[in-house]
Amino acid sequence: MNKIFLASSSEMREDRDAFDLYFRQQNDRLRKVGLYLEIVRWENFLDAMSSTRMQNEYNEAIRNCDLFVSLFKTKTGKYTEEEFDVAHQTFKDTGKPLIYTWFKDAYVSNQLTQY
């Protein structure tokens, strides 16, 4: 089994869902060759109390993943940045997770609106 941690800001919810669905559908085919991809997302953690803070639970999951995928569009949240930093440091220390980033092309207006 390979674990993939999927990170992104809240604006990428639909893209996270699409990524998750695609790879869950691919698992039907991949199981036939002995491979299973487990998608790890913060939304899938229980909203239980943590002895420290929930972000620490996510960071520990990152340390135990084989792949770290981050999705970006116009912003990155502070927790997404922290998750990337954890993945990067863990990669430097252990050689995993492998880190992949995806940037969504999007039109972003930089015009100010007057009221």
Side-chain angles (χ1 to χ4, degrees):
M1 172 173 29
N2 289 316
K3 289 185 179 183
I4 301 173
F5 191 94
L6 184 58
S8 72
S9 65
S10 59
E11 72 178 343
M12 298 295 291
R13 173 70 189 242
E14 289 180 17
D15 297 275
R16 280 194 315 279
D17 290 344
F19 181 97
D20 195 335
L21 177 61
Y22 175 79
F23 282 98
R24 288 183 190 276
Q25 290 171 337
Q26 295 306 306
N27 273 333
D28 291 339
R29 180 181 57 79
L30 294 171
R31 280 186 199 192
K32 293 176 184 173
V33 296
L35 183 63
Y36 177 78
L37 301 174
E38 179 183 344
I39 308 302
V40 180
R41 296 171 55 170
W42 65 266
E43 294 100 332
N44 297 341
F45 282 74
L46 294 175
D47 286 336
M49 297 260 316
S50 172
S51 60
T52 56
R53 62 184 184 128
M54 281 307 297
Q55 186 61 45
N56 290 355
E57 307 294 328
Y58 310 147
N59 293 345
E60 187 59 29
I62 292 165
R63 290 182 191 98
N64 292 311
C65 281
D66 302 292
L67 300 168
F68 177 86
V69 177
S70 52
L71 311 177
F72 296 103
K73 185 176 175 184
T74 63
K75 65 180 181 176
T76 170
K78 78 175 187 176
Y79 295 115
T80 306
E81 289 180 29
E82 181 177 338
E83 291 162 358
F84 184 88
D85 290 342
V86 167
H88 186 247
Q89 185 61 53
T90 304
F91 175 79
K92 289 190 323 186
D93 293 344
T94 68
K96 72 173 201 170
L98 298 179
I99 299 171
Y100 295 90
T101 55
W102 180 74
F103 296 93
K104 184 172 187 169
D105 288 332
Y107 172 77
V108 179
S109 174
N110 61 358
Q111 296 181 3
L112 297 175
T113 303
Q114 291 184 342
Y115 294 97

